[in-house]
């Protein structure tokens, strides 16, 4: 009995290397930009009394308060920028993977072509749609045509070959969509912890300065605490944005996976039902 043919691998085109290079460049660049914002924007002399950065921030000037939070604020700004950049990058990649038109409409069209056994039109629709989902489905459709013309294979072997081809194509395409999501997930924890670190160090400085002054200075203590809490606010804000974007992105990837599973199931069932 003839063995089932090997599945046709989908092309990945070095997307993994490109994504790794992107992450390697973005992280230090965001930190550098965060340091620049901290030094030249938050540390602008106009944010402080008598235009002197050694003085207290002007009344209600949050930029000056953030600057007094110390160098950790620069790191927090960098983390916030990383969250924004990686989220936008993943949105673009997932958008391209979805293709040019509505994903649900595309899957419906493929199912319609399969019902009429019009495989060539289904493949043409994949070329029109483009994206990772279309690539996986196109790979399965090509294997459909290949095994259909191979008289050496029985129905069970043909179905198995189609399933393997779709699974392998999915295995090659989907990891590309999940890259850099680990960075966003990591930023959820790092943002909060870095903010708390800034708060703790700020509180230590505030109480240490109060102890050294000899006499209680409620105003200075209040300013010191508010500066420390700026770190907490920035850290929580970064983590909140990272959580929201992570959930949105994983939800979009789940929709792509479901569309592939739905179309793949239709391909396999159509072949099995028409070649009994």
């Amino acid at each position: 009995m003839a063995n089932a043919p090997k599945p046709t691998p989908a092309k990945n085109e070095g997307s993994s290397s490109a994504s790794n290079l992107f992450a390697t460049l973005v992280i230090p660049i965001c930190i550098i930009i965060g340091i620049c914002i901290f030094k030249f924007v938050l540390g602008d002399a106009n944010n402080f009394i008598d235009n002197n950065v050694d003085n207290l921030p002007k009344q209600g000037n949050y930029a000056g308060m953030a600057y007094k939070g110390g160098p950790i604020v620069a790191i927090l700004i960098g983390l916030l920028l990383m969250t924004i950049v990686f989220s936008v990058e993943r949105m673009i990649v997932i958008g391209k993977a979805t293709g040019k038109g509505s994903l649900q409409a595309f899957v419906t069209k493929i199912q319609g072509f399969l019902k009429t056994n019009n495989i060539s039109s289904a493949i043409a629709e994949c070329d029109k749609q483009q994206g990772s989902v279309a690539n996986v489905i196109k790979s399965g459709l090509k294997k459909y045509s290949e095994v259909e013309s191979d008289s050496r294979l029985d129905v069970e072997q043909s179905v198995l070959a189609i399933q393997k081809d779709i699974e392998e194509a999915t295995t090659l395409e989907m990891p590309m969509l999940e890259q850099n999501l680990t960075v966003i997930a990591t930023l959820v924890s790092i943002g909060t912890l870095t903010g708390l670190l800034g708060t703790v160090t700020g509180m230590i400085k505030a109480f240490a300065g109060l102890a050294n002054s000899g006499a209680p200075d409620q105003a200075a203590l209040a300013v010191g605490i508010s500066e420390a809490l700026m770190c907490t606010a920035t850290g929580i804000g970064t983590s909140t944005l990272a959580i929201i974007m992570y959930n949105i992105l994983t939800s979009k990837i789940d929709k792509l996976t479901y569309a592939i599973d739905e179309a793949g199931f239709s391909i396999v069932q159509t072949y099995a039902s028409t070649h009994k």
Side-chain angles (χ1 to χ4, degrees), residues 10-252:
K11 295 181 180 179
N12 207 12
E13 298 181 354
S15 57
S16 177
S17 298
S19 181
N20 291 336
L21 178 61
F22 176 82
T24 303
L25 293 175
V26 165
I27 292 174
I29 289 174
C30 286
I31 293 296
I32 292 172
I33 293 175
I35 293 173
C36 292
I37 293 174
F38 173 76
K39 185 174 180 62
F40 299 110
V41 178
L42 302 183
D44 187 279
N46 294 322
N47 296 325
F48 304 92
I49 298 174
D50 297 331
N51 294 331
N52 186 347
V53 295
D54 293 327
N55 294 334
L56 294 175
K58 292 180 180 179
Q59 183 69 28
N61 191 303
Y62 294 104
M65 290 182 185
Y67 179 80
K68 290 295 184 179
I72 291 180
V73 174
I75 297 176
L76 286 168
I77 295 173
L79 295 177
L80 179 59
L81 291 174
M82 281 183 227
T83 303
I84 296 171
V85 172
F86 280 112
S87 297
V88 172
E89 184 262 347
R90 285 294 91 191
M91 291 290 286
I92 293 173
V93 170
I94 293 174
K96 289 182 178 179
T98 302
K100 293 185 176 180
S102 169
L103 190 59
Q104 186 57 48
F106 166 69
V107 173
T108 302
K109 288 181 181 179
I110 295 297
Q111 290 173 332
F113 288 130
L114 288 171
K115 288 179 180 178
T116 58
N117 201 31
N118 193 347
I119 304 302
S120 59
S121 295
I123 293 175
E125 187 65 30
C126 291
D127 292 332
K128 181 180 177 182
Q129 177 73 11
Q130 299 182 4
S132 295
V133 176
N135 290 341
V136 174
I137 296 174
K138 181 180 178 181
S139 179
L141 291 171
K142 285 185 174 180
K143 182 60 65 175
Y144 184 110
S145 299
E146 181 182 327
V147 299
E148 191 175 37
S149 60
D150 192 343
S151 58
R152 298 172 301 171
L153 303 175
D154 57 29
V155 175
E156 183 179 350
Q157 289 176 319
S158 298
V159 168
L160 180 61
I162 296 172
Q163 287 177 331
K164 285 185 176 180
D165 193 272
I166 293 173
E167 289 173 2
E168 184 166 331
T170 303
T171 301
L172 293 174
E173 290 283 351
M174 298 311 291
M176 176 191 68
L177 304 179
E178 298 174 351
Q179 286 182 346
N180 295 334
L181 279 182
T182 53
V183 177
I184 298 176
T186 303
L187 288 169
V188 173
S189 300
I190 291 180
T192 302
L193 293 175
T194 305
L196 290 174
L197 177 62
T199 301
V200 171
T201 56
M203 295 289 283
I204 291 173
K205 291 178 182 178
F207 283 102
L210 183 63
N212 294 332
S213 64
D217 187 344
Q218 294 182 352
L221 179 60
V223 171
I225 292 175
S226 64
E227 292 168 356
L229 292 177
M230 289 296 291
C231 293
T232 303
T234 307
I236 292 175
T238 300
S239 296
T240 301
L241 178 61
I243 290 172
I244 293 172
M245 294 310 303
Y246 181 83
N247 289 335
I248 290 174
L249 293 170
T250 52
S251 176
K252 287 181 176 292

